[in-house]
Amino acid sequence: MNKRLINGSDFSGMVLSGAAFLQRNVERVNALNVFPVPDGDTGTNMNLTMTSGTNELQNKPSPAVGKVAEALSKGLLMGARGNSGVILSQLFRGFAKSVSALEEVNTVQFAAALQSGVDMAYRAVAKPVEGTILTVAKEAAKHAVAYAR
């Protein structure tokens, strides 16, 4: 199937699938954590944050991608744990602001929303360091924007 638009139900499914994958791989993500200190809790903090976000998302289903993104963003922010959770919440906060008025998004809008999330997250971190989740998100958004064209 060649899907050109993503609605709230589609986006919700994408997020829930990603959250389940993260939950299954918490220890692998914990092992990646080496900056600023190898405290080994990045996966745990991201998982707890995502769980809060997905709970809110499931409590407020909507056919509109903007409403789903808003609910996810609120849940992530309220449940953010550690630096990685705060950054994750900011990535989705920027995404949500970008799609807030939309029922559906096309590839260009989706890629632009990813970039908005990256911009928001970089602004939220006092001293952004490359080689972290910020870099991963930046590169993903960059490639999404290029692909969407």
Side-chain angles (χ1 to χ4, degrees), residues 25-106:
N25 289 281
V26 166
E27 291 308 316
R28 292 180 79 182
V29 178
N30 281 342
L32 294 172
N33 181 220
V34 294
F35 181 85
V37 293
D39 52 12
D41 64 354
T42 295
T44 300
N45 288 335
M46 289 176 72
N47 184 51
L48 290 170
T49 302
M50 271 313 274
T51 298
S52 178
T54 57
N55 286 343
E56 186 71 17
L57 178 147
Q58 290 175 309
N59 287 334
K60 295 184 179 173
S62 173
V65 70
K67 296 291 184 198
V68 172
E70 182 181 311
L72 175 65
S73 175
K74 179 183 176 191
L76 291 170
L77 183 60
M78 299 306 290
R81 302 287 194 279
N83 291 333
S84 57
V86 170
I87 292 169
L88 184 64
S89 75
Q90 294 306 300
L91 288 167
F92 280 100
R93 180 173 173 236
F95 182 96
K97 283 185 177 283
S98 182
V99 301
S100 65
L102 302 176
E103 293 287 320
E104 299 177 314
V105 293
N106 61 32

